[in-house]
Amino acid sequence: MAREYKSFPAIYELVKEIPAGQVASYGMIASLIKNATPRIVGFAMAGAPSGQDIPWQRVINSAGAISERDGADRQRSFLKAEGIKFKPNGKVDWKQHRWQGPSEEWLARMSIDFMDFLEIQSKWPG
């Protein structure tokens, strides 16, 4: 059974902000959620409840690759169906497919100042 953390609902809400054709890293998501780490985001994605439209497949590792595990082929298929292109080395081109971040409404709900968000975003891959 997957671990449950208090931050899972906030993680799921944020991941729903990632549109088809874009990806984020576990660290990108963690950088916007209080007390979350990339590992916690990974646990959340592994345990994402079905039927809630959580696009778990859009969260990949910071190298731009799908982490090798059960379900990796399924994740790759979902991403390809959304228009994500992979380089010959199996990685996503961050410049082409990196999510730019959540909506201003999400930032406001989380009380994150836009200038603070830009500082956070500047440390993201790509």
Side-chain angles (χ1 to χ4, degrees):
M1 175 127 194
R3 297 177 177 154
E4 290 289 331
Y5 291 92
K6 290 180 184 180
S7 57
F8 277 19
I11 291 168
Y12 295 145
E13 182 181 345
L14 179 56
V15 169
K16 287 180 180 182
E17 294 265 325
I18 307 169
Q22 296 180 18
V23 292
S25 72
Y26 300 106
M28 288 167 62
I29 300 301
S31 71
L32 294 168
I33 303 291
K34 185 177 180 180
N35 298 321
T37 65
R39 186 173 301 269
I40 289 172
V41 174
F43 290 142
M45 294 303 94
S50 60
Q52 293 189 20
D53 296 322
I54 300 165
W56 59 269
Q57 73 275 10
R58 297 179 190 150
V59 184
I60 61 176
N61 67 37
S62 61
I66 294 171
S67 299
E68 290 302 319
R69 52 157 174 53
D70 288 342
D73 291 336
R74 183 172 162 233
Q75 184 176 12
R76 181 177 303 278
S77 294
F78 286 167
L79 290 174
K80 283 183 175 181
E82 293 182 359
I84 300 288
K85 292 181 176 45
F86 292 86
K87 297 180 196 177
N89 65 4
K91 295 180 180 179
V92 168
D93 182 349
W94 282 117
K95 289 182 184 10
Q96 185 175 5
H97 296 293
R98 187 190 83 177
W99 177 56
Q100 295 304 304
S103 65
E104 289 184 33
E105 292 81 13
W106 186 91
L107 291 171
R109 280 196 312 277
M110 297 298 122
S111 301
I112 298 174
D113 178 77
F114 188 72
M115 294 307 289
D116 291 339
F117 164 69
L118 291 177
E119 176 68 24
I120 293 166
Q121 184 191 47
S122 72
K123 297 174 185 158
W124 289 357

